[in-house]
Amino acid sequence: MLDIALHVRVDVDLLIAAQNDMGVCDAIEHYAPGGKPADMSAPNVPKVAGIDPLVPPPAQTPAPAGAVIQDRLAGWVSDLTTLHELTERLVGTGALDEALHEVVRAGAALVGARRGLAVLEPADGLGPASTVGFGLAHADLGHIETVPRDATAYGRFLDGTTEPGDGGPSASPDLLHEEGLDPLHREVAARLGYAASYALPLTGSSGRLGAVVWLYDEPAEPVERQRHLVGLYGRYASEHLTRLLELERARTHARTLVEELLPSRLPRVSGVQLAVRHRTGPRGGGDWYDALPLPEGALGLVVGSVTGAGPSATAAMGRLRASLRAYAVIEGEDPVAVLSDLELLMRLTEPARSATALLAYCEPAKRKIVLAGAGHTPPLIIGERRTEYAETSLSAPLGMLSCWEAPSVEISPKPGETVLLYTDGLLHRTGEPMDRAFARLHAAAVGVPKAIRDDPGAIADHVLRTVLPDGLDEVDSAEDIVLLAARFD
């Protein structure tokens, strides 16, 4: 053992505190050892043949204080860089399941585990609830879920049954030899091949969100540095999950409100098949559709859009749709009269809004459609011999002029042809100028495979995927989408 003099030993914690106050360089200079180190004790041997018996001390000297601090600072920089990279990846997630996958994956890298799972289960009970795994198959998650919740640390986090002051992480470094381990838990751990676990609660500013647990193949547990890093990451991840949870709930409420205001199902009318595709933006919008049976076997089809977004636009859409249904039942055979009445109602009750609408009075037995449009995009006729836009009269949206009036037009779809009504959100989501968007929609309709032309739902799906490829129809957008397809026998 080397006997190092006391005055050359460096208190690292004292250096850390000092460098926070006076700066790294000043702290190193202030606490650097001064003078020469004391000689190390060495054994005396007998003098032989005039040779000096003093043995020179070994060439081992203590590391300089500056090197110690530099190593410590290098470790800090490495840890901060790692946390920065992981949190940047987490910020890039925009959905709850995607964020949970990233949390359990990043946490596994921080604590040195190969597998894990994250459970989202907000304490307020309002959902949504979700479980995702990392390195675990769906069947593995099923096996783990058979273990009683109170027999696992993360289950106790979720149920809120941890003891006061025990809300921090929980380590089981040697799970299979743990006293009092639930027999089913032991069986599942042996079957899946994990021997240790480390669980961390996820708690945001709004309360408990869920928990995450990482599984080790051998008895192990994270060291203090790993615990510290994953704790910092877990706090940041909890706040990010809180924001995503609030956003998801707002989207769910908006979708629910819109769905309740729109038809729960399409009517069945002889001579025509109907299908609809509807996509709502994250804030909820004012696009709507309707299909209502009318006297003498007739059918009324309508698509429309109210300016604005959010709950107020959704409420206005509901009022206009209800009013149009009433007018259509009374005088549906005259679409111009229906839209005129709706425009008068808008000027009296919605003076700050405008709306577009396209109303079609259909007589399937005669394959006859009378159309009236107010600032709306023209319908598209899709058939084997023709794919073309129907010619409609140009007119202003409802609420834009002191008095709306436009002539109606009549079209006659042939047997097997499909009339596609849509809102302009489909065109706006392409991000292209309107003329090119119309051309893209027409090309998509021309390319409808012959095998699906008898199915209006398949036609609508094909058009939607072709006009908005790579999932653009599903991504968040301020633009709602409505496609209403009517195939005539």
Side-chain angles (χ1 to χ4, degrees), residues 370-438:
V370 180
L371 291 169
H376 206 81
T377 51
L380 184 61
I381 303 174
I382 304 173
E384 291 187 5
R385 297 179 178 271
R386 63 170 177 170
T387 300
E388 61 187 20
Y389 290 104
E391 295 186 4
T392 56
S393 58
L394 297 176
S395 62
L398 303 174
M400 295 289 289
L401 303 177
S402 59
C403 182
W404 178 87
E405 184 71 28
S408 62
V409 297
E410 183 177 316
I411 60 175
S412 299
K414 296 178 174 57
E417 289 187 334
T418 298
V419 178
L420 186 67
L421 283 67
Y422 54 93
T423 57
D424 58 3
L426 176 65
L427 306 175
H428 289 312
R429 279 207 189 191
T430 64
E432 297 182 343
M434 291 300 287
D435 56 342
R436 296 183 61 180
F438 273 115

Side-chain angles (χ1 to χ4, degrees), residues 257-272:
L257 178 60
V258 171
E259 290 170 0
E260 290 297 324
L261 291 174
L262 294 176
S264 57
R265 62 182 181 84
L266 297 175
R268 293 184 178 182
V269 177
S270 177
V272 63

Side-chain angles (χ1 to χ4, degrees), residues 175 214 273 294 321 376 388:
L175 192 65
W214 295 280
Q273 302 176 49
L294 298 174
R321 174 179 170 269
H376 206 81
E388 61 187 20

Side-chain angles (χ1 to χ4, degrees), residues 1-9 37-42 57-58 60 62:
M1 295 291 291
L2 296 179
D3 186 13
I4 303 175
L6 181 62
H7 65 268
V8 299
R9 296 178 182 173
D39 293 336
M40 300 182 183
S41 59
Q60 297 182 10

Side-chain angles (χ1 to χ4, degrees), residues 254-266 276-280 285-291 302-304 314 317-322 325 480-482:
R255 285 193 298 266
T256 302
L257 178 60
V258 171
E259 290 170 0
E260 290 297 324
L261 291 174
L262 294 176
S264 57
R265 62 182 181 84
L266 297 175
V276 67
R277 299 295 181 265
H278 183 219
R279 302 288 187 271
T280 304
D287 286 17
W288 88 93
Y289 65 91
D290 208 346
V302 59
V303 292
T314 302
M317 174 268 287
R319 291 191 293 269
L320 290 181
R321 174 179 170 269
R325 287 177 69 92
D480 291 2
I481 300 175
V482 170

Side-chain angles (χ1 to χ4, degrees), residues 204-223:
S205 56
S206 60
R208 190 186 73 246
L209 299 174
V212 58
V213 60
W214 295 280
L215 307 175
Y216 297 88
D217 297 342
E218 303 291 340
E221 65 178 316
V223 298

Side-chain angles (χ1 to χ4, degrees), residues 169-182:
S170 175
S172 297
D174 194 356
L175 192 65
L176 297 179
H177 294 88
E178 187 176 292
E179 295 184 3
L181 184 67
D182 183 86

Side-chain angles (χ1 to χ4, degrees), residues 42-48 51-55:
N44 292 325
V45 297
K47 184 175 181 179
V48 178
I51 300 176
D52 189 355
L54 293 178
V55 179

